[in-house]
Amino acid sequence: MAMKLLLNGDVKDLGLAGDIVTVANGYGRNYLLPRNLAVEVTTANLKQIEGLKKMRAARELERVKDFRMLAERVAAVDITIKERVSDADTLYGSVGAKQLVDALTAEGIVLEQDMIKLVEPIKTLGVHRVKVRMHPEVETGLKVGVVGPKDNATVEWGFRLGVALSRGVREGARLFYSWPDGGGGGRW
């Protein structure tokens, strides 16, 4: 014999809060009802669950809104991961979701590791586009640059030279010449 119950909360492999489910008498009486996971189907309980559903929907909308704002921040960030490479410019290891989450945390963006959707770990140098899914309705992309120690130095020196030249020849030469440790080369 079966009984109909109204779920108070989400029950794995059975249903979500507010669903009316049909279960075996023993399962309902011995498991769901004593743990307050379900109640009998009455008009009062139906009204109460409808109120809970509305509150849940409002909370879900707020979560989606927060995730959308976070997605904009993630999309605006470019991450550079420095990895060891062989003489043939191949990575000794790979870049996984944990390293990406750590790099984002260093930028002030906190994500869960399972939000990073890598088909497989990144195993090559270069710029890669990684999918980040924060919610079934919110998805964005993250630009990740994987560089070796030499590539990173070239990128940094090129950037610093551009900054230095934008400040003028004499000031630029002073900055460029003394850059690596903040005062190491000499001054004009």
Side-chain angles (χ1 to χ4, degrees), residues 113-130:
Q113 192 169 339
D114 62 344
M115 292 179 179
I116 306 289
K117 302 298 178 191
L118 282 173
V119 176
E120 60 183 31
I122 300 170
K123 297 180 182 180
T124 59
L125 295 175
V127 178
H128 303 273
R129 195 84 175 148
V130 177

Side-chain angles (χ1 to χ4, degrees), residues 26-64:
Y27 183 58
R29 277 194 321 262
N30 298 325
Y31 183 78
L32 296 174
L33 291 173
R35 287 174 177 78
N36 201 25
L37 295 173
V39 292
E40 292 183 23
V41 179
T42 64
T43 56
N45 287 340
L46 284 172
K47 287 180 183 177
Q48 182 182 7
I49 292 296
E50 286 302 316
L52 290 174
K53 277 186 175 181
K54 288 179 184 176
M55 287 176 33
R56 183 178 178 175
R59 269 187 278 151
E60 186 66 19
L61 284 175
E62 190 66 31
R63 279 186 66 212
V64 169

Side-chain angles (χ1 to χ4, degrees), residues 82-95 122-126 128 146-151:
K82 189 189 296 188
E83 284 292 318
R84 292 181 346 160
V85 295
S86 68
D87 292 335
D89 285 339
T90 58
L91 292 177
Y92 281 121
S94 61
V95 177
I122 300 170
K123 297 180 182 180
T124 59
L125 295 175
H128 303 273
V146 180
V147 297
K150 296 175 187 174
D151 294 336

Side-chain angles (χ1 to χ4, degrees), residues 58-103:
R59 269 187 278 151
E60 186 66 19
L61 284 175
E62 190 66 31
R63 279 186 66 212
V64 169
K65 179 182 170 188
D66 291 343
F67 280 135
R68 285 202 171 115
M69 289 181 358
L70 185 60
E72 290 174 10
R73 288 182 55 206
V74 169
V77 172
D78 295 337
I79 294 178
T80 302
I81 306 280
K82 189 189 296 188
E83 284 292 318
R84 292 181 346 160
V85 295
S86 68
D87 292 335
D89 285 339
T90 58
L91 292 177
Y92 281 121
S94 61
V95 177
K98 175 150 179 38
Q99 289 168 296
L100 298 177
V101 168
D102 292 343

